[in-house]
């Protein structure tokens, strides 16, 4: 007779505002991510149909990885240093002090059509999906326009049980950092009265809403954004007029590839997946010109066609993303393309918006810029 080694506690962090920790109880070390997710969902009273909306993730300030249902979370935590070496542009000292945690978050492959149906029948699933969307909005991972940010801020206050009368004139400014993304705050730092006015006006418009509909309304606004349900990756790319690469965040959904400038949080490019092709170029550690103590990155190439004018023919261009996560970007893009029949909702796409350097990238090169992924 054999007995499995038992972990006394496996904590899973949730995405609600308090970052609630929950344990699935005494489970074997060999518990899979799928089994752990199902156990946590049972404790949270999420319906069995809602389980697929979530996945187990391993996260740290340096790296976030969604696990397949067959992966073993505790084993991957034990080999975290090796994963950082493979997928994160970080120093050895940073890697040695980085501690991973196990989290339950939205499954990036879960179809939006199914989510819309799920939240009508499962209030617990709706609560945690809304909490995660709110986290992504407030941290700037979902960059949004100012007016939508003010509207969501009002919704957040209402969901927290606040009323307009809870805030005497001029006091909403004091909690603005808790209800607005950092980039919206920066754009409006000279207009605190404008923030106060717009949030207060939206709170008034919500007075007739019942509490049970507020989280649904919050999610509905998030669904209008192409960045919703993104899988996020870190990298760097070239930009016109810049001598060094700039750090970027790449988001991939079933319909779009989006590139943001990590410093300003502005959208640099938003491309329709149906109009792009991608390929992976692996890094070359044997480059004789490579300087010591630099990171060798793979390259995720995003190729697309542009029409300069009616008189000129279409031209093929490419955006190179230099990243240790390039293979992960390629794998996610391939899977979403293969599963496109599951994602029948229509995404919104635009062309490149900022003067990002578009070219045909060939070969590899050492990194010019080190940055800390987040």
């Amino acid at each position: 007779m054999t007995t499995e080694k038992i972990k006394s506690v496996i904590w899973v962090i949730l995405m609600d505002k308090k970052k609630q920790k929950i344990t699935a109880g005494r489970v074997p070390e060999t518990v899979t991510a799928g089994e752990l997710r199902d156990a946590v969902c049972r404790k949270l009273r999420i319906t069995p149909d809602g389980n697929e909306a979530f996945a187990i993730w391993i996260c740290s300030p340096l790296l976030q990885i969604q696990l397949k249902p067959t992966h073993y979370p505790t084993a991957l935590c034990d080999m975290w240093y090796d994963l950082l070496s493979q997928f994160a542009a970080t120093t050895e000292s940073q890697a040695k002090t980085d501690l991973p945690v196990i989290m339950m978050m939205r499954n990036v492959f879960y179809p939006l059509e199914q989510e819309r149906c799920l939240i009508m029948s499962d209030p617990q699933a709706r609560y945690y999906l809304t909490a995660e969307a709110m986290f992504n909005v407030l941290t700037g991972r979902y960059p949004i326009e100012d007016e939508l940010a003010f509207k969501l801020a009002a919704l957040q206050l209402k969901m927290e049980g606040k009323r307009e009368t809870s805030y005497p004139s001029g006091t909403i400014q004091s909690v603005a950092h808790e209800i607005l993304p950092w980039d919206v705050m920066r754009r409006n730092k000279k207009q605190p009265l404008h923030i106060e006015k717009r949030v207060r006006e939206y709170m008034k418009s919500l007075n007739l809403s019942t509490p049970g509909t507020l989280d649904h309304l919050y999610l509905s606004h998030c669904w209008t954004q192409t960045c919703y349900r993104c899988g996020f990756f870190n990298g760097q790319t070239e930009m016109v007029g810049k001598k060094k690469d700039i750090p970027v965040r790449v988001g991939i959904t079933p319909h779009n590839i989006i590139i943001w400038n990590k410093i300003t949080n502005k959208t640099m490019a938003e491309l329709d997946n149906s109009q792009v092709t991608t390929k992976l170029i692996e890094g070359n550690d044997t480059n004789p010109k490579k300087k010591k103590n630099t990171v060798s990155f793979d390259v995720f190439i995003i190729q697309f066609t542009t029409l300069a004018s009616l008189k000129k023919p279409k031209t093929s261009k490419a955006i190179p993303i230099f990243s240790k996560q390039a293979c992960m970007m390629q794998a996610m893009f391939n899977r979403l393309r293969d599963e496109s029949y599951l994602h029948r909702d229509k995404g919104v796409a635009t062309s490149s918006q900022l003067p990002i350097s578009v070219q045909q990238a060939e070969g590899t090169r050492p990194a010019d810029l080190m940055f800390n992924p987040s």
Side-chain angles (χ1 to χ4, degrees), residues 246-300:
I246 58 169
V248 296
R249 186 169 70 254
V250 178
I252 301 177
T253 76
H255 303 292
N256 306 99
I257 297 178
I258 312 169
I259 304 171
W260 294 278
N261 183 322
K262 287 188 69 174
I263 298 173
T264 63
N265 217 31
K266 290 184 178 179
T267 303
M268 302 178 67
E270 190 171 305
L271 303 167
D272 187 333
N273 286 358
S274 65
Q275 299 176 11
V276 305
T277 58
T278 65
K279 68 177 181 179
L280 176 68
I281 299 178
E282 295 184 355
N284 182 5
D285 291 325
T286 61
N287 186 346
K289 295 182 179 180
K290 181 179 174 181
K291 298 177 182 179
K292 292 183 179 180
N293 301 322
T294 59
V295 179
S296 178
F297 287 160
D298 294 339
V299 192
F300 179 60

Side-chain angles (χ1 to χ4, degrees), residues 157-177:
L157 291 174
K158 295 289 281 188
M159 283 190 288
E160 292 173 355
K162 304 295 197 311
R163 298 181 179 180
E164 185 193 350
T165 54
S166 304
Y167 296 98
S169 179
T171 57
I172 288 182
Q173 304 169 35
S174 63
V175 297
H177 65 285

Side-chain angles (χ1 to χ4, degrees), residues 41 44-54 110 115-130 215 219:
C41 285
L44 296 175
R45 302 189 306 280
I46 293 172
T47 62
D49 289 341
N51 290 10
E52 291 297 322
F54 300 94
Y110 189 67
E115 179 177 326
R116 286 173 173 152
C117 295
L118 173 67
I119 69 166
M120 299 298 292
S121 60
D122 193 331
Q124 284 295 95
R126 183 173 67 237
Y127 170 80
Y128 288 105
L129 289 169
T130 304
D215 51 358
L219 266 183

Side-chain angles (χ1 to χ4, degrees), residues 15 19 56-67 76 80 83-84 87-89 98-106 108 132 135-136 139 141-142 230-234 249-250 325 328-329 332 373-374:
M15 289 298 292
K19 294 296 179 290
I56 294 297
W57 292 65
I58 300 181
C59 304
S60 80
L62 300 178
L63 183 64
Q64 295 186 351
I65 298 177
Q66 176 177 318
L67 305 191
L76 289 174
W80 192 245
L83 292 173
L84 289 176
F87 297 119
D98 191 52
L99 295 176
V101 295
I102 298 175
M103 303 187 70
M104 190 175 82
M105 298 193 294
R106 190 188 189 280
V108 295
E132 182 172 344
F135 171 83
N136 286 331
T139 56
R141 286 161 66 89
Y142 288 168
C230 266
F232 293 105
F233 305 92
N234 295 302
R249 186 169 70 254
V250 178
Q325 298 176 4
M328 300 167 73
M329 300 180 208
M332 182 169 184
S374 60

